[in-house]
C-alpha cells in the first residue's frame, strides 16, 4: 500500500466573525455610547485545499480562499447627540492564504487532528451602510480606512471520516 504525497480539494462554508475598535472615530461624542463591533450573522467562505504529506500523520496545508466578514457596530446607548440611534453595517471581502501544519490521530475510520499555523489576509473590498431611523445612507467604500494587509496565528482541531474515495471533514479554527 502506498502513502499519498498530496491531497487536492475544494471547500465552502460559513464563518462567524468578530471585530474590534482600536480607536473609535466619529463626529459625535462617543464617551457615553461605547461602540462595539458584533457579528452580523454568518459569512461565506470558499477556497481550495492543498495538503502535502510530511509523514503518515503530519501534513502541511495551504488553503487559499475568498472570505467575507459581516459586522454590525452597536452602541450601548440608543441615542447619539439627540439624533437617535444609528445602525452601522460593514461587509469586508478578503483573500486569505493560510499555511498550517496538522497532526492526525488514527482511530479506525476516524482521524481527529490538531492544527497550528499562520495566515495572511488581503482586504480588497469594504462596504459600509448606515441607517438612522427611517433614513438609510448609500453604501460607502471604506477600504482606505481599514488595514488592507492582515496576518494572524491559526489554531484548530478537526475530524476526518474515511469514505470510499475520499474524506468528509469537520474543521473548526480560531484566528488570533
Amino acid at each position: 500500500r502506498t502513502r499519498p504525497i498530496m491531497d487536492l480539494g475544494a471547500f465552502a462554508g460559513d464563518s462567524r466573525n468578530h471585530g474590534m475598535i482600536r480607536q473609535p472615530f466619529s463626529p459625535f461624542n462617543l464617551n457615553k455610547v461605547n461602540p462595539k463591533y458584533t457579528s452580523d450573522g454568518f459569512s461565506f467562505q470558499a477556497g481550495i485545499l492543498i495538503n502535502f504529506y510530511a509523514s503518515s500523520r503530519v501534513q502541511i496545508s495551504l488553503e487559499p480562499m475568498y472570505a467575507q466578514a459581516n459586522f454590525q457596530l452597536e452602541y450601548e446607548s440608543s441615542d447619539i447627540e439627540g439624533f437617535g440611534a444609528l445602525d452601522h453595517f460593514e461587509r469586508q471581502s478578503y483573500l486569505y492564504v493560510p499555511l498550517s501544519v496538522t497532526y492526525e490521530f488514527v482511530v479506525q475510520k476516524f482521524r481527529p487532528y490538531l492544527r497550528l499555523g499562520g495566515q495572511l489576509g488581503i482586504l480588497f473590498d469594504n462596504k459600509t451602510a448606515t441607517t438612522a431611523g427611517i433614513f438609510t445612507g448609500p453604501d460607502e467604500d471604506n477600504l482606505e480606512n481599514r488595514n488592507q494587509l492582515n496576518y494572524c496565528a491559526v489554531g484548530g482541531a478537526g475530524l476526518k471520516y474515511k469514505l470510499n474515495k475520499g474524506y468528509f471533514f469537520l474543521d473548526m479554527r480560531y484566528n488570533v
Side-chain angles (χ1 to χ4, degrees):
R1 182 174 174 150
T2 61
R3 185 169 55 103
I5 298 171
M6 71 184 239
D7 290 331
L8 293 174
F11 62 91
D14 53 34
S15 65
R16 190 99 166 142
N17 303 286
H18 60 86
M20 264 190 321
I21 298 177
R22 291 191 181 181
Q23 182 178 359
F25 173 78
S26 173
F28 304 113
N29 180 1
L30 297 178
N31 289 332
K32 297 178 184 175
V33 293
N34 296 325
K36 66 177 182 174
Y37 272 112
T38 61
S39 178
D40 186 31
F42 288 97
S43 304
F44 176 74
Q45 63 184 15
I48 60 172
L49 167 72
I50 306 167
N51 277 339
F52 298 97
Y53 286 84
S55 71
S56 62
R57 293 184 182 226
V58 177
Q59 298 172 21
I60 300 169
S61 299
L62 180 65
E63 302 165 300
M65 72 175 90
Y66 164 80
Q68 284 182 342
N70 298 317
F71 302 105
Q72 179 179 0
L73 186 59
E74 289 185 345
Y75 300 92
E76 282 184 11
S77 174
S78 63
D79 192 32
I80 299 175
E81 294 289 324
F83 288 104
L86 293 176
D87 290 319
H88 174 87
F89 299 94
E90 188 165 337
R91 185 184 70 244
Q92 299 176 346
S93 296
Y94 284 93
L95 174 63
Y96 285 127
V97 184
L99 180 64
S100 61
V101 175
T102 60
Y103 182 82
E104 287 185 356
F105 306 92
V106 179
V107 183
Q108 295 175 346
K109 283 190 163 194
F110 294 97
R111 294 185 180 209
Y113 60 88
L114 297 175
R115 176 183 308 277
L116 190 61
Q119 177 172 281
L120 176 68
I122 301 167
L123 177 65
F124 64 88
D125 188 37
N126 187 84
K127 299 286 190 234
T128 60
T130 303
T131 61
I134 61 170
F135 302 105
T136 301
D139 282 357
E140 296 178 40
D141 185 359
N142 207 10
L143 188 61
E144 69 277 355
N145 295 323
R146 301 290 181 256
N147 291 335
Q148 295 176 29
L149 187 62
N150 299 279
Y151 52 89
C152 63
V154 177
L159 181 68
K160 286 172 37 175
Y161 179 72
K162 179 75 171 140
L163 300 172
N164 287 338
K165 294 188 179 192
Y167 290 95
F168 173 78
F169 284 83
L170 176 63
D171 188 62
M172 297 188 329
R173 300 178 191 191
Y174 190 78
N175 301 344
V176 179

